[in-house]
Amino acid sequence: MGFSMICSTNCNRLVWLAVVLAAMTTARGAAAADWPNWRGPQQDRTSLETGLADGFDPRKGVNVLWKSAELATRSTPIVMNGKLYTLTRSEVETPREGEKVICADAATGEILWQNRFNVYLSDVPDTRVGWSCCAGDPETGNVYALGVCGYFQCLDGETGKTKWSRSLHEEFGLLSTYGGRTNVPVIFEDLVIISAIVIGWGDMAKPAHRFLAFDKKSGEVVWFNGTRLLPYDTTYSTPSVAIVDGQALLVFGSGDGAVWGMQPRTGKGVWKYQFSRRGLNVSPLVVGNLVFASHSEENVNDNTMGAVVAIDPLAKAAPTKTGELDLTPSGGLWRIKQTMSGKSSPIMVGNRLITVDDRATVWVLNAETGKVITKKKAGRVMRSTPFYADGKFYFCTANGYFNVYALENDKLKQVSNARLGEECHGSPIVANGRIYLPTADHMYCIADKTKKANVKAVAKKPAEKDGGKKPAHIQIVPAEVLLRPGQKQTFKVRLFNATGQPLEAAEIKTTEASFTLEGPGEITPEGVYTAASSGGHTATTVQFKASDLTGSARIRVVPDLPWKFDFENGEVPITWVGARYRHQNREIDGNRVIVKVSTIPKGTRSRAWMGHPGFSNYTIQADVRGALTDNKMPDIGMIAQRYTLDLQGEYQRLQIRTWGTVERMAKSVAFKWQPDKWYRMKFMASVEEANGKPRSVLRGKIWPKEDAEPSDWTIEATDDTPNLTGSPGLYGSAKAAELYLDNLTVTPNPE
């Protein structure tokens, strides 16, 4: 493998780095031996535990305390308060298949509770369910989990009961793709923060890698912000929360190919370093004031693939138009190209950076200079991340080799190796003397009973510097809200200084501070907003202005049913999530219609949502038409209660489904339809009782627009594992040709 290296000649920085690395070797620490998030208590995949097993033999049961097939997963587990939590598939390969958070006794593997939920309106394959990881909050004991379809929950860690939930795709436009990339929640103070590629509404109609910060106890949106528009990729780079030069930061790899530093309390970007032409999936490692990251995509300044970098966030840099510093020209302390580490995150051992590339070769680099110290082939494919503890680092390759290595005198010494014969996508962890290894077939709990596990004393974490009392940022909470006409919402104002630290409201020294509105509704000086009692589907921006600072929040007002849209106003409704970027309003045959265009390659097959995710028992109807391009037709669909009625052009059929790629419940009937001809589609979703339990009953019909409505339904289906609520919406695939919609109505089902 060839190399090219870009190294700084600033000796002062290298000397300073050596001092920091030596100090951080003893400064890292955790308050307990729990492992509450997949990156560990220090968020660097290290532990101060000793007395750990040097390896295990799964066939002979050596050092295996327990193993569980029910806990098999592609996710990385966490351990908190004596319990293990993970995400995994539920009721595999049955009509009831979904996803679940499962909790087990960490010492015995006994299942304590399960929280099951459906996968719906997603193209993710069943083999990629459980892509994300749970995050535990030691303060509250709550556990947070994001499902592959965007269903986000706060769970009681003791009982598994849902405390609050948000449907991130219906409410905000989270993109759920076939790739399955699903990010991991991060907890910071009173916030739980999650990110995805989001295609929303209003000024967020274009896709971006965006972060949503929720109040961890209530689920209220505190801030909502992102990186550059139109990113290259989805991403699953879990942010590291760290103190860098006295400032609290979220440090993450973005879908735009840059490593970013962002204030966790405000969502304000502080700096970025453009690292790749495509999205970054590896979680950056923060050590002192330096950031280490890697990727296996195309580099920004040539056509080589893959790189490892050390970023200096304190380098001199110019601000961008959006305010953050651009470290790209000067912030790279060193960079080694053609190291293809795009899935496994780096770890630090002393002053040696260790990364395992996508082909399972272990690289050991000098963290000060980037010089390659040694490397060793350890398998064929690598997707997970090692952890380091007790003088050894532990990892498992995707093809099922569990490796334990030690680094002695800059040489890699293999301590043990076990061939599992099971795929491994999640990362091993350690908690309270036990190693937990997730595979596609089992969860293993590993410990050497002849050793006594201990945790070394921990040092204090770096403290934030006082950023002063001058206000620099105004935050309005909630940052995003969906209301009904006449409904009230109280908005709160929070102030922050330039480094993102909270200030008291009295720090605003002006009598001119006030709330204002852009859009319908009224707001009092105390921040109580009342939505207009009439006016249909509207959008309003709340602003709070003080001196030269302005904070804002967004409101959608969506009435209860019935609705009617004829599109004669020349617009795609602003309140529709995921619609405006991919649809246009045009005149067709003398009428205004909306058109899903075929000129956005990454958006031609997608969904859009119109309103409240709590709706149920309603019917959506529209006039539809498909074009013909290169002898191909589009797919045209409507969404009701988290089910899709899909008129398919290539297959010439009508289908009802809820999970696009798995079809756990799906029914299709042949239906020949013609291009450039208007049809009328009708889709009814209802919740009905059968044998004392609720089930969803779905009924669809389609007929030529000029004909009378037929009395019989064209297609009917039932779901005994029902989605009981969901927002009305649209589905369409315009990859082959454009599709057109007109005269859309949503009405309550008849009693």
Side-chain angles (χ1 to χ4, degrees):
M1 180 176 290
F3 299 94
S4 64
M5 184 182 295
I6 300 175
C7 292
S8 169
T9 58
N10 189 329
C11 295
N12 290 332
R13 280 195 291 183
L14 295 180
V15 171
W16 169 83
L17 172 58
V19 173
V20 168
L21 288 170
M24 289 302 294
T25 302
T26 57
R28 297 180 189 134
D34 280 355
W35 194 277
N37 63 79
W38 86 267
R39 290 183 56 74
Q42 288 84 241
Q43 299 186 55
D44 60 4
R45 297 286 302 168
T46 69
S47 171
L48 295 178
E49 291 199 51
T50 59
L52 303 180
D54 293 329
F56 81 119
D57 187 333
R59 290 178 172 83
K60 296 180 179 180
V62 176
N63 290 340
V64 178
L65 292 190
W66 56 262
K67 72 175 183 179
S68 169
E70 193 168 1
L71 290 166
T73 180
R74 68 174 296 120
S75 180
T76 299
I78 65 169
V79 171
M80 184 176 69
N81 298 330
K83 297 177 177 63
L84 179 143
Y85 305 90
T86 195
L87 274 161
T88 188
R89 296 169 68 178
S90 179
E91 299 173 271
V92 178
E93 296 180 354
T94 73
R96 294 178 54 84
E97 179 159 3
E99 191 168 5
K100 64 184 176 183
V101 178
I102 188 167
C103 172
D105 185 299
T108 66
E110 177 190 0
I111 304 301
L112 301 177
W113 56 256
Q114 301 180 41
N115 183 304
R116 184 209 171 277
F117 48 95
N118 282 346
V119 177
Y120 50 89
L121 304 182
S122 174
D123 295 326
V124 65
D126 54 6
T127 54
R128 295 183 181 180
V129 168
W131 186 291
S132 182
C133 308
C134 297
D137 178 26
E139 179 191 351
T140 62
N142 293 336
V143 174
Y144 299 85
L146 177 64
V148 288
C149 70
Y151 181 60
F152 189 39
Q153 294 185 87
C154 169
L155 306 176
D156 185 305
E158 290 295 320
T159 66
K161 298 293 179 61
T162 301
K163 288 191 168 184
W164 56 260
S165 65
R166 305 296 297 253
S167 181
L168 300 189
H169 58 335
E170 293 175 290
E171 295 184 68
F172 306 104
L174 173 145
L175 184 64
S176 174
T177 68
Y178 183 86
R181 296 177 183 177
T182 311
N183 222 305
V184 177
V186 172
I187 296 163
F188 178 79
E189 295 178 348
D190 61 344
L191 303 176
V192 57
I193 304 168
I194 194 69
S195 80
I197 302 301
V198 170
I199 306 172
W201 63 275
D203 58 358
M204 291 189 179
K206 288 187 176 181
H209 181 194
R210 294 188 169 106
F211 284 77
L212 277 153
F214 296 94
D215 183 297
K216 69 182 183 182
K217 294 181 180 179
S218 69
E220 186 176 59
V221 182
V222 176
W223 59 260
F224 191 5
N225 196 23
T227 63
R228 188 178 63 82
L229 294 177
L230 306 178
Y232 309 106
D233 283 313
T234 55
T235 176
Y236 56 97
S237 172
T238 305
S240 295
V241 181
I243 306 298
V244 178
D245 192 32
Q247 183 175 10
L249 292 179
L250 286 177
V251 182
F252 59 91
S254 180
D256 64 5
V259 179
W260 280 74
M262 178 182 283
Q263 293 177 354
R265 299 184 187 98
T266 69
K268 179 183 177 182
V270 178
W271 52 260
K272 69 174 184 178
Y273 176 87
Q274 196 65 45
F275 190 30
S276 168
R277 294 181 187 271
R278 296 180 64 88
L280 301 176
N281 296 312
V282 169
S283 295
L285 173 67
V286 181
V287 180
N289 291 334
L290 291 183
V291 176
F292 300 88
S294 63
H295 72 79
S296 59
E297 304 293 346
E298 191 172 357
N299 287 300
V300 291
N301 53 358
D302 55 38
N303 59 2
T304 60
M305 301 289 289
V308 181
V309 69
I311 303 169
D312 180 7
L314 308 185
K316 292 183 179 180
T320 67
K321 292 181 180 179
T322 49
E324 71 277 353
L325 298 177
D326 186 359
L327 299 176
T328 310
S330 59
L333 185 63
W334 54 257
R335 184 176 63 198
I336 300 177
K337 295 182 179 179
Q338 294 179 259
T339 50
M340 304 280 288
S341 297
K343 298 177 177 66
S344 183
S345 301
I347 64 172
M348 189 72 74
V349 177
N351 67 343
R352 296 298 186 245
L353 187 74
I354 296 178
T355 182
V356 187
D357 69 21
D358 297 351
R359 295 184 178 181
T361 296
V362 182
W363 296 73
V364 180
L365 310 178
N366 185 313
E368 301 169 25
T369 65
K371 179 182 177 181
V372 179
I373 302 298
T374 188
K375 62 179 181 176
K376 186 177 181 68
K377 186 74 171 173
R380 294 196 302 271
V381 180
M382 187 69 179
R383 294 196 176 98
S384 64
T385 295
F387 76 82
Y388 178 78
D390 199 16
K392 304 174 285 290
F393 60 97
Y394 301 74
F395 64 97
C396 193
T397 64
N399 53 308
Y401 285 88
F402 182 71
N403 296 280
V404 183
Y405 278 82
L407 185 62
E408 297 179 359
N409 299 319
D410 282 339
K411 301 293 184 182
L412 286 167
K413 175 186 175 182
Q414 187 173 66
V415 178
S416 69
N417 172 270
R419 183 177 181 180
L420 306 180
E422 305 172 21
E423 290 187 4
C424 181
H425 305 283
S427 302
I429 68 168
V430 59
N432 303 293
R434 308 180 193 99
I435 297 167
Y436 299 90
L437 173 65
T439 75
D441 298 316
H442 296 95
M443 179 78 70
Y444 292 93
C445 178
I446 304 162
D448 187 340
K449 294 181 180 179
T450 67
K451 293 184 176 183
K452 183 179 180 180
N454 291 291
V455 181
K456 294 179 181 179
V458 298
K460 292 183 179 180
K461 294 182 179 180
E464 290 184 72
K465 296 178 183 177
D466 186 353
K469 300 297 184 182
K470 182 179 179 181
H473 179 79
I474 294 178
Q475 184 179 84
I476 301 180
V477 180
E480 178 111 356
V481 66
L482 174 60
L483 302 176
R484 288 175 165 83
Q487 192 172 349
K488 295 181 182 293
Q489 175 67 54
T490 299
F491 289 94
K492 304 177 289 289
V493 175
R494 298 176 179 175
L495 298 181
F496 297 86
N497 62 22
T499 60
Q501 296 170 325
L503 301 174
E504 297 295 332
E507 298 298 335
I508 292 185
K509 308 293 185 181
T510 176
T511 58
E512 299 176 358
S514 62
F515 284 101
T516 60
L517 297 179
E518 293 181 4
E522 297 179 350
I523 193 165
T524 69
E526 295 76 28
V528 179
Y529 171 83
T530 304
S533 58
S534 60
H537 301 245
T538 61
T540 295
T541 299
V542 178
Q543 292 186 332
F544 186 86
K545 297 181 179 181
S547 186
D548 58 346
L549 299 177
T550 301
S552 63
R554 307 193 315 161
I555 302 169
R556 284 188 299 151
V557 177
V558 174
D560 286 326
L561 305 178
W563 302 340
K564 182 177 181 180
F565 301 93
D566 60 14
F567 310 114
E568 292 301 319
N569 62 0
E571 296 182 349
V572 177
I574 190 173
T575 55
W576 288 9
V577 172
R580 277 199 164 188
Y581 175 62
R582 293 151 166 171
H583 295 77
Q584 297 175 0
N585 187 300
R586 292 189 202 158
E587 183 175 315
I588 303 290
D589 299 334
N591 295 315
R592 305 298 303 190
V593 305
I594 60 170
V595 183
K596 185 164 192 182
V597 298
S598 58
T599 54
I600 304 175
K602 292 185 178 181
T604 51
R605 187 175 188 272
S606 61
R607 301 165 184 85
W609 291 275
M610 304 173 185
H612 300 277
F615 280 175
S616 63
N617 292 294
Y618 57 86
T619 300
I620 180 170
Q621 177 176 301
D623 297 340
V624 302
R625 174 175 140 179
L628 182 70
T629 303
D630 296 330
N631 206 35
K632 295 180 180 179
M633 296 172 64
D635 294 346
I636 309 173
M638 300 187 302
I639 295 170
Q641 207 170 289
R642 298 174 181 168
Y643 298 92
T644 302
L645 177 67
D646 186 9
L647 179 63
Q648 299 175 338
E650 179 180 357
Y651 295 109
Q652 289 289 289
R653 69 183 185 184
L654 191 65
Q655 183 182 75
I656 292 175
R657 63 176 184 270
T658 182
W659 183 352
T661 48
V662 175
E663 300 186 357
R664 69 161 182 85
M665 64 77 52
K667 187 173 182 180
S668 304
V669 296
F671 185 84
K672 292 188 178 296
W673 58 292
Q674 300 173 10
D676 301 318
K677 179 177 179 178
W678 285 102
Y679 293 84
R680 187 155 286 168
M681 265 178 96
K682 189 173 186 177
F683 186 29
M684 175 187 287
S686 59
V687 179
E688 302 178 10
E689 190 171 296
N691 299 320
K693 296 181 179 180
R695 66 173 183 171
S696 290
V697 179
L698 300 315
R699 301 175 175 93
K701 64 173 70 173
I702 184 168
W703 66 96
K705 178 182 175 181
E706 66 272 13
D707 293 353
E709 178 179 347
S711 57
D712 294 333
W713 295 98
T714 311
I715 185 172
E716 298 184 56
T718 60
D719 185 6
D720 293 328
T721 310
N723 302 311
L724 301 177
T725 64
S727 168
L730 301 173
Y731 166 80
S733 178
K735 184 177 181 180
E738 291 184 337
L739 59 94
Y740 312 91
L741 299 105
D742 196 10
N743 300 317
L744 189 149
T745 62
V746 186
T747 56
N749 292 341
E751 295 292 337

